[in-house]
PDB file of all heavy atoms in Angstrom:
ATOM      1  N   GLY K 255      39.577 -67.689-204.536  1.00 98.00           N
ATOM      2  CA  GLY K 255      40.582 -68.059-205.536  1.00 98.00           C
ATOM      3  C   GLY K 255      40.917 -69.539-205.533  1.00 98.00           C
ATOM      4  O   GLY K 255      41.721 -69.993-206.348  1.00 98.00           O
ATOM      5  N   SER K 256      40.313 -70.311-204.630  1.00 98.00           N
ATOM      6  CA  SER K 256      40.541 -71.763-204.626  1.00 98.00           C
ATOM      7  C   SER K 256      39.692 -72.429-205.696  1.00 98.00           C
ATOM      8  O   SER K 256      38.494 -72.166-205.776  1.00 98.00           O
ATOM      9  CB  SER K 256      40.124 -72.372-203.283  1.00 98.00           C
ATOM     10  OG  SER K 256      41.016 -72.008-202.283  1.00 98.00           O
ATOM     11  N   THR K 257      40.316 -73.298-206.483  1.00 98.00           N
ATOM     12  CA  THR K 257      39.563 -74.092-207.447  1.00 98.00           C
ATOM     13  C   THR K 257      39.634 -75.556-207.032  1.00 98.00           C
ATOM     14  O   THR K 257      40.731 -76.093-206.855  1.00 98.00           O
ATOM     15  CB  THR K 257      40.130 -73.928-208.870  1.00 98.00           C
ATOM     16  OG1 THR K 257      39.957 -72.567-209.267  1.00 98.00           O
ATOM     17  CG2 THR K 257      39.409 -74.828-209.860  1.00 98.00           C
ATOM     18  N   LEU K 258      38.475 -76.178-206.857  1.00 98.00           N
ATOM     19  CA  LEU K 258      38.430 -77.610-206.556  1.00 98.00           C
ATOM     20  C   LEU K 258      38.012 -78.346-207.823  1.00 98.00           C
ATOM     21  O   LEU K 258      37.092 -77.922-208.512  1.00 98.00           O
ATOM     22  CB  LEU K 258      37.429 -77.918-205.444  1.00 98.00           C
ATOM     23  CG  LEU K 258      37.620 -77.217-204.100  1.00 98.00           C
ATOM     24  CD1 LEU K 258      36.689 -77.844-203.051  1.00 98.00           C
ATOM     25  CD2 LEU K 258      39.055 -77.302-203.622  1.00 98.00           C
ATOM     26  N   ALA K 259      38.715 -79.430-208.109  1.00 98.00           N
ATOM     27  CA  ALA K 259      38.377 -80.228-209.288  1.00 98.00           C
ATOM     28  C   ALA K 259      38.246 -81.677-208.859  1.00 98.00           C
ATOM     29  O   ALA K 259      38.801 -82.081-207.840  1.00 98.00           O
ATOM     30  CB  ALA K 259      39.477 -80.102-210.340  1.00 98.00           C
ATOM     31  N   GLN K 260      37.490 -82.445-209.623  1.00 98.00           N
ATOM     32  CA  GLN K 260      37.445 -83.897-209.393  1.00 98.00           C
ATOM     33  C   GLN K 260      38.093 -84.546-210.596  1.00 98.00           C
ATOM     34  O   GLN K 260      37.762 -84.215-211.744  1.00 98.00           O
ATOM     35  CB  GLN K 260      35.997 -84.363-209.192  1.00 98.00           C
ATOM     36  CG  GLN K 260      35.869 -85.836-208.807  1.00 98.00           C
ATOM     37  CD  GLN K 260      35.556 -86.734-209.992  1.00 98.00           C
ATOM     38  OE1 GLN K 260      35.292 -86.280-211.087  1.00 98.00           O
ATOM     39  NE2 GLN K 260      35.608 -88.045-209.772  1.00 98.00           N
ATOM     40  N   LEU K 261      39.024 -85.458-210.344  1.00 98.00           N
ATOM     41  CA  LEU K 261      39.738 -86.150-211.417  1.00 98.00           C
ATOM     42  C   LEU K 261      39.460 -87.643-211.326  1.00 98.00           C
ATOM     43  O   LEU K 261      39.170 -88.159-210.239  1.00 98.00           O
ATOM     44  CB  LEU K 261      41.251 -85.930-211.294  1.00 98.00           C
ATOM     45  CG  LEU K 261      41.832 -84.570-211.705  1.00 98.00           C
ATOM     46  CD1 LEU K 261      41.454 -83.485-210.728  1.00 98.00           C
ATOM     47  CD2 LEU K 261      43.360 -84.668-211.809  1.00 98.00           C
ATOM     48  N   GLY K 262      39.587 -88.316-212.441  1.00 98.00           N
ATOM     49  CA  GLY K 262      39.420 -89.759-212.425  1.00 98.00           C
ATOM     50  C   GLY K 262      39.493 -90.294-213.830  1.00 98.00           C
ATOM     51  O   GLY K 262      39.540 -89.535-214.803  1.00 98.00           O
ATOM     52  N   PRO K 263      39.506 -91.637-213.951  1.00 96.00           N
ATOM     53  CA  PRO K 263      39.523 -92.234-215.284  1.00 96.00           C
ATOM     54  C   PRO K 263      38.221 -91.925-216.019  1.00 96.00           C
ATOM     55  O   PRO K 263      37.231 -91.577-215.389  1.00 96.00           O
ATOM     56  CB  PRO K 263      39.657 -93.739-215.001  1.00 96.00           C
ATOM     57  CG  PRO K 263      39.154 -93.922-213.611  1.00 96.00           C
ATOM     58  CD  PRO K 263      39.437 -92.640-212.880  1.00 96.00           C
ATOM     59  N   SER K 264      38.233 -92.048-217.353  1.00 95.00           N
ATOM     60  CA  SER K 264      37.009 -91.838-218.133  1.00 95.00           C
ATOM     61  C   SER K 264      36.203 -93.128-218.092  1.00 95.00           C
ATOM     62  O   SER K 264      36.104 -93.843-219.085  1.00 95.00           O
ATOM     63  CB  SER K 264      37.337 -91.489-219.578  1.00 95.00           C
ATOM     64  OG  SER K 264      38.487 -90.729-219.660  1.00 95.00           O
ATOM     65  N   ASP K 265      35.651 -93.416-216.936  1.00 96.00           N
ATOM     66  CA  ASP K 265      34.891 -94.645-216.733  1.00 96.00           C
ATOM     67  C   ASP K 265      33.687 -94.275-215.886  1.00 96.00           C
ATOM     68  O   ASP K 265      33.850 -93.815-214.748  1.00 96.00           O
ATOM     69  CB  ASP K 265      35.766 -95.687-216.029  1.00 96.00           C
ATOM     70  CG  ASP K 265      35.103 -97.059-215.936  1.00 96.00           C
ATOM     71  OD1 ASP K 265      33.875 -97.118-215.698  1.00 96.00           O
ATOM     72  OD2 ASP K 265      35.822 -98.069-216.083  1.00 96.00           O
ATOM     73  N   MET K 266      32.477 -94.449-216.438  1.00 97.00           N
ATOM     74  CA  MET K 266      31.266 -94.005-215.748  1.00 97.00           C
ATOM     75  C   MET K 266      31.030 -94.744-214.441  1.00 97.00           C
ATOM     76  O   MET K 266      30.207 -94.329-213.621  1.00 97.00           O
ATOM     77  CB  MET K 266      30.047 -94.140-216.671  1.00 97.00           C
ATOM     78  CG  MET K 266      29.976 -93.074-217.754  1.00 97.00           C
ATOM     79  SD  MET K 266      30.069 -91.372-217.125  1.00 97.00           S
ATOM     80  CE  MET K 266      28.543 -91.240-216.210  1.00 97.00           C
ATOM     81  N   ARG K 267      31.749 -95.852-214.227  1.00 98.00           N
ATOM     82  CA  ARG K 267      31.557 -96.562-212.963  1.00 98.00           C
ATOM     83  C   ARG K 267      32.020 -95.717-211.778  1.00 98.00           C
ATOM     84  O   ARG K 267      31.556 -95.919-210.657  1.00 98.00           O
ATOM     85  CB  ARG K 267      32.264 -97.914-212.998  1.00 98.00           C
ATOM     86  CG  ARG K 267      31.542 -98.895-213.933  1.00 98.00           C
ATOM     87  CD  ARG K 267      32.264-100.216-214.059  1.00 98.00           C
ATOM     88  NE  ARG K 267      33.598-100.048-214.641  1.00 98.00           N
ATOM     89  CZ  ARG K 267      34.404-101.035-214.946  1.00 98.00           C
ATOM     90  NH1 ARG K 267      34.022-102.291-214.721  1.00 98.00           N
ATOM     91  NH2 ARG K 267      35.587-100.816-215.483  1.00 98.00           N
ATOM     92  N   VAL K 268      32.927 -94.755-212.025  1.00 98.00           N
ATOM     93  CA  VAL K 268      33.382 -93.895-210.914  1.00 98.00           C
ATOM     94  C   VAL K 268      32.259 -92.970-210.434  1.00 98.00           C
ATOM     95  O   VAL K 268      31.889 -93.010-209.253  1.00 98.00           O
ATOM     96  CB  VAL K 268      34.671 -93.125-211.297  1.00 98.00           C
ATOM     97  CG1 VAL K 268      35.069 -92.173-210.181  1.00 98.00           C
ATOM     98  CG2 VAL K 268      35.797 -94.106-211.604  1.00 98.00           C
ATOM     99  N   PRO K 269      31.662 -92.146-211.319  1.00 98.00           N
ATOM    100  CA  PRO K 269      30.548 -91.314-210.817  1.00 98.00           C
ATOM    101  C   PRO K 269      29.328 -92.137-210.385  1.00 98.00           C
ATOM    102  O   PRO K 269      28.642 -91.748-209.432  1.00 98.00           O
ATOM    103  CB  PRO K 269      30.201 -90.403-212.010  1.00 98.00           C
ATOM    104  CG  PRO K 269      30.843 -91.021-213.202  1.00 98.00           C
ATOM    105  CD  PRO K 269      32.030 -91.774-212.705  1.00 98.00           C
ATOM    106  N   ILE K 270      29.088 -93.267-211.038  1.00 98.00           N
ATOM    107  CA  ILE K 270      27.940 -94.097-210.618  1.00 98.00           C
ATOM    108  C   ILE K 270      28.185 -94.605-209.196  1.00 98.00           C
ATOM    109  O   ILE K 270      27.295 -94.537-208.338  1.00 98.00           O
ATOM    110  CB  ILE K 270      27.710 -95.282-211.595  1.00 98.00           C
ATOM    111  CG1 ILE K 270      27.261 -94.772-212.970  1.00 98.00           C
ATOM    112  CG2 ILE K 270      26.667 -96.256-211.025  1.00 98.00           C
ATOM    113  CD1 ILE K 270      27.271 -95.836-214.071  1.00 98.00           C
ATOM    114  N   ALA K 271      29.399 -95.074-208.930  1.00 98.00           N
ATOM    115  CA  ALA K 271      29.732 -95.576-207.584  1.00 98.00           C
ATOM    116  C   ALA K 271      29.584 -94.467-206.556  1.00 98.00           C
ATOM    117  O   ALA K 271      29.097 -94.695-205.437  1.00 98.00           O
ATOM    118  CB  ALA K 271      31.155 -96.136-207.566  1.00 98.00           C
ATOM    119  N   SER K 272      29.986 -93.267-206.932  1.00 98.00           N
ATOM    120  CA  SER K 272      29.879 -92.143-205.998  1.00 98.00           C
ATOM    121  C   SER K 272      28.421 -91.887-205.633  1.00 98.00           C
ATOM    122  O   SER K 272      28.101 -91.594-204.481  1.00 98.00           O
ATOM    123  CB  SER K 272      30.546 -90.917-206.636  1.00 98.00           C
ATOM    124  OG  SER K 272      29.978 -89.725-206.182  1.00 98.00           O
ATOM    125  N   ALA K 273      27.521 -92.019-206.621  1.00 98.00           N
ATOM    126  CA  ALA K 273      26.092 -91.822-206.343  1.00 98.00           C
ATOM    127  C   ALA K 273      25.514 -93.006-205.565  1.00 98.00           C
ATOM    128  O   ALA K 273      24.754 -92.818-204.615  1.00 98.00           O
ATOM    129  CB  ALA K 273      25.326 -91.614-207.647  1.00 98.00           C
ATOM    130  N   LEU K 274      25.898 -94.235-205.953  1.00 98.00           N
ATOM    131  CA  LEU K 274      25.328 -95.420-205.287  1.00 98.00           C
ATOM    132  C   LEU K 274      25.707 -95.479-203.810  1.00 98.00           C
ATOM    133  O   LEU K 274      24.903 -95.872-202.972  1.00 98.00           O
ATOM    134  CB  LEU K 274      25.790 -96.719-205.975  1.00 98.00           C
ATOM    135  CG  LEU K 274      25.288 -96.997-207.397  1.00 98.00           C
ATOM    136  CD1 LEU K 274      25.675 -98.408-207.814  1.00 98.00           C
ATOM    137  CD2 LEU K 274      23.783 -96.799-207.518  1.00 98.00           C
ATOM    138  N   ALA K 275      26.929 -95.120-203.502  1.00 98.00           N
ATOM    139  CA  ALA K 275      27.397 -95.260-202.118  1.00 98.00           C
ATOM    140  C   ALA K 275      27.159 -94.004-201.291  1.00 98.00           C
ATOM    141  O   ALA K 275      27.334 -94.023-200.079  1.00 98.00           O
ATOM    142  CB  ALA K 275      28.888 -95.588-202.112  1.00 98.00           C
ATOM    143  N   TYR K 276      26.756 -92.915-201.930  1.00 98.00           N
ATOM    144  CA  TYR K 276      26.640 -91.614-201.269  1.00 98.00           C
ATOM    145  C   TYR K 276      25.883 -91.697-199.948  1.00 98.00           C
ATOM    146  O   TYR K 276      24.836 -92.321-199.900  1.00 98.00           O
ATOM    147  CB  TYR K 276      25.931 -90.623-202.205  1.00 98.00           C
ATOM    148  CG  TYR K 276      25.799 -89.249-201.607  1.00 98.00           C
ATOM    149  CD1 TYR K 276      26.876 -88.371-201.617  1.00 98.00           C
ATOM    150  CD2 TYR K 276      24.607 -88.853-200.992  1.00 98.00           C
ATOM    151  CE1 TYR K 276      26.761 -87.120-201.034  1.00 98.00           C
ATOM    152  CE2 TYR K 276      24.500 -87.594-200.411  1.00 98.00           C
ATOM    153  CZ  TYR K 276      25.578 -86.741-200.437  1.00 98.00           C
ATOM    154  OH  TYR K 276      25.475 -85.507-199.857  1.00 98.00           O
ATOM    155  N   PRO K 277      26.356 -91.080-198.885  1.00 97.00           N
ATOM    156  CA  PRO K 277      27.555 -90.233-198.803  1.00 97.00           C
ATOM    157  C   PRO K 277      28.839 -91.002-198.469  1.00 97.00           C
ATOM    158  O   PRO K 277      29.864 -90.372-198.217  1.00 97.00           O
ATOM    159  CB  PRO K 277      27.201 -89.272-197.664  1.00 97.00           C
ATOM    160  CG  PRO K 277      26.346 -90.108-196.754  1.00 97.00           C
ATOM    161  CD  PRO K 277      25.607 -91.090-197.615  1.00 97.00           C
ATOM    162  N   ALA K 278      28.767 -92.339-198.492  1.00 97.00           N
ATOM    163  CA  ALA K 278      29.978 -93.131-198.239  1.00 97.00           C
ATOM    164  C   ALA K 278      30.701 -93.366-199.579  1.00 97.00           C
ATOM    165  O   ALA K 278      30.375 -92.737-200.581  1.00 97.00           O
ATOM    166  CB  ALA K 278      29.597 -94.439-197.564  1.00 97.00           C
ATOM    167  N   ARG K 279      31.663 -94.252-199.589  1.00 97.00           N
ATOM    168  CA  ARG K 279      32.405 -94.601-200.807  1.00 97.00           C
ATOM    169  C   ARG K 279      32.371 -96.099-200.974  1.00 97.00           C
ATOM    170  O   ARG K 279      32.217 -96.849-200.008  1.00 97.00           O
ATOM    171  CB  ARG K 279      33.868 -94.143-200.705  1.00 97.00           C
ATOM    172  CG  ARG K 279      34.042 -92.633-200.592  1.00 97.00           C
ATOM    173  CD  ARG K 279      33.971 -91.970-201.947  1.00 97.00           C
ATOM    174  NE  ARG K 279      34.126 -90.519-201.839  1.00 97.00           N
ATOM    175  CZ  ARG K 279      34.106 -89.690-202.873  1.00 97.00           C
ATOM    176  NH1 ARG K 279      33.947 -90.167-204.104  1.00 97.00           N
ATOM    177  NH2 ARG K 279      34.233 -88.401-202.710  1.00 97.00           N
ATOM    178  N   MET K 280      32.501 -96.573-202.188  1.00 97.00           N
ATOM    179  CA  MET K 280      32.581 -98.010-202.440  1.00 97.00           C
ATOM    180  C   MET K 280      33.723 -98.290-203.419  1.00 97.00           C
ATOM    181  O   MET K 280      34.205 -97.378-204.099  1.00 97.00           O
ATOM    182  CB  MET K 280      31.252 -98.528-203.002  1.00 97.00           C
ATOM    183  CG  MET K 280      30.872 -97.961-204.359  1.00 97.00           C
ATOM    184  SD  MET K 280      29.187 -98.433-204.893  1.00 97.00           S
ATOM    185  CE  MET K 280      29.509-100.037-205.592  1.00 97.00           C
TER     186      MET K 280
END
Side-chain angles (χ1 to χ4, degrees):
S256 289
T257 296
L258 303 190
Q260 186 262 352
L261 285 71
S264 325
D265 187 321
M266 285 306 294
R267 289 176 298 185
V268 176
I270 293 169
S272 151
L274 293 189
Y276 181 80
R279 297 278 179 180
M280 64 187 276

